[in-house]
Amino acid sequence: MSLTLPLKFGIISMVITLTGVLGLAFFTFQSSDELLQRQSLSRLADDVSREKEVLKNKLKTLAEDVRFLSKSAATKGIVRSVRGGGFDADENMTLNLWRLRLERLFRTVLAQRASYSQIRFIGKHDKGREIIRVERYENTINTVAKDDLQEKGNRDYFRKTISLEPEGIYFSDITLNREKGRIVFPPEPVLRVGVPIFDATKTIFGIVVINVNFDLFVSSLYDAPKQIFYFV
């Protein structure tokens, strides 16, 4: 069957129109897809920027906390007491009384910071033995007995912190927590932040260090939307 000229023109016009409509639809779909991708990337960039600021603020608070503890009256009192053979003549206080005051201060800070797992005052003398250690165990905060205090003089964080100048601060790598040379179970990734302690003659005395449970410290990263994974 032969087609008339008007019918041929009609068919050609319809084909051209359909082609144009399909092309426009494809272009619109592609543009919408690109727009959605740009919006998703923009939201992701905003999320990453927000998490970065949260982490920066937490690290700033951590640094302020360890500096505050290192400059506390109790810390200075212990240094004077040790140098004075167990008695602080400046404040008429014994070493044991200053220890109790610093222990209470450590416990208070641990109670306020859920991600902090330990706070310690470690002396340079006696192979870097802990002077005070207060730690979190499950839902309780405990002061470690004198007989259970450990030597930390060979640990990398102790050596690096003890070598700092006044006002220096040390942030460790993230490592698994160890007690008595063994990795604790369940494994706990730990960030250690320490500052050096000096006596009145500017002689190094020891360090104050805070152990941070890094999983809890960056817990907001685990609340990311589905299909999004953060890597630190």
Side-chain angles (χ1 to χ4, degrees):
M1 181 182 67
S2 61
L3 299 176
T4 63
L5 187 60
L7 184 57
K8 290 179 179 179
F9 278 119
I11 293 174
I12 292 172
S13 298
M14 183 177 66
V15 171
I16 293 173
T17 301
L18 287 174
T19 302
V21 170
L22 290 174
L24 180 61
F26 175 77
F27 176 78
T28 302
F29 173 79
Q30 189 176 41
S31 298
S32 299
D33 186 55
E34 291 176 354
L35 178 61
L36 288 173
Q37 289 184 27
R38 287 197 298 270
Q39 290 175 340
S40 297
L41 289 174
S42 178
R43 284 196 299 269
L44 182 58
D46 290 341
D47 290 343
V48 170
S49 179
R50 182 176 61 253
E51 291 296 340
K52 181 184 72 173
E53 290 304 314
V54 169
L55 183 56
K56 283 174 60 178
N57 288 333
K58 286 183 176 181
L59 290 171
K60 180 181 177 182
T61 299
L62 176 55
E64 291 172 349
D65 285 346
V66 73
R67 289 191 190 281
F68 163 73
L69 293 173
S70 71
K71 297 177 184 298
S72 71
T75 301
K76 295 177 180 178
I78 288 177
V79 174
R80 290 194 301 268
S81 297
V82 171
R83 293 293 196 236
F87 186 76
D88 175 15
D90 288 4
E91 296 292 337
N92 196 30
M93 291 270 284
T94 65
L95 174 59
N96 285 337
L97 287 175
W98 278 127
R99 286 176 59 94
L100 289 173
R101 288 186 60 175
L102 190 57
E103 287 170 4
R104 286 197 294 267
L105 183 57
F106 283 4
R107 293 173 69 94
T108 298
V109 173
L110 276 179
Q112 294 174 345
R113 310 293 191 202
S115 63
Y116 295 4
S117 57
Q118 284 185 0
I119 305 178
R120 291 170 293 162
F121 187 11
I122 306 174
K124 183 182 178 182
H125 61 287
D126 197 13
K127 300 180 181 179
R129 182 172 295 278
E130 297 167 330
I131 298 172
I132 295 174
R133 182 168 99 234
V134 178
E135 60 188 15
R136 187 190 310 277
Y137 180 73
E138 294 181 348
N139 295 322
T140 62
I141 295 173
N142 303 309
T143 299
V144 175
K146 288 184 180 180
D147 291 343
D148 293 326
L149 296 174
Q150 302 173 34
E151 295 175 358
K152 299 294 183 179
N154 64 337
R155 296 299 299 274
D156 189 58
Y157 67 86
F158 179 82
R159 294 197 302 267
K160 289 187 176 180
T161 305
I162 209 79
S163 67
L164 294 174
E165 297 294 326
E167 303 302 322
I169 186 167
Y170 170 73
F171 284 82
S172 74
D173 293 333
I174 313 301
T175 59
L176 294 179
N177 193 27
R178 290 175 176 268
E179 292 296 340
K180 298 181 180 179
R182 296 183 177 181
I183 295 175
V184 301
F185 186 84
E188 177 187 330
V190 172
L191 167 68
R192 297 173 180 86
V193 181
V195 293
I197 305 297
F198 296 84
D199 64 15
T201 65
K202 305 300 181 183
T203 301
I204 188 68
F205 178 89
I207 71 172
V208 170
V209 58
I210 297 177
N211 284 23
V212 180
N213 183 320
F214 201 70
D215 278 343
L216 295 177
F217 195 65
V218 294
S219 59
S220 61
L221 298 181
Y222 298 115
D223 296 329
K226 292 181 179 180
Q227 309 305 321
I228 294 178
F229 302 90
Y230 291 113
F231 292 89
V232 179

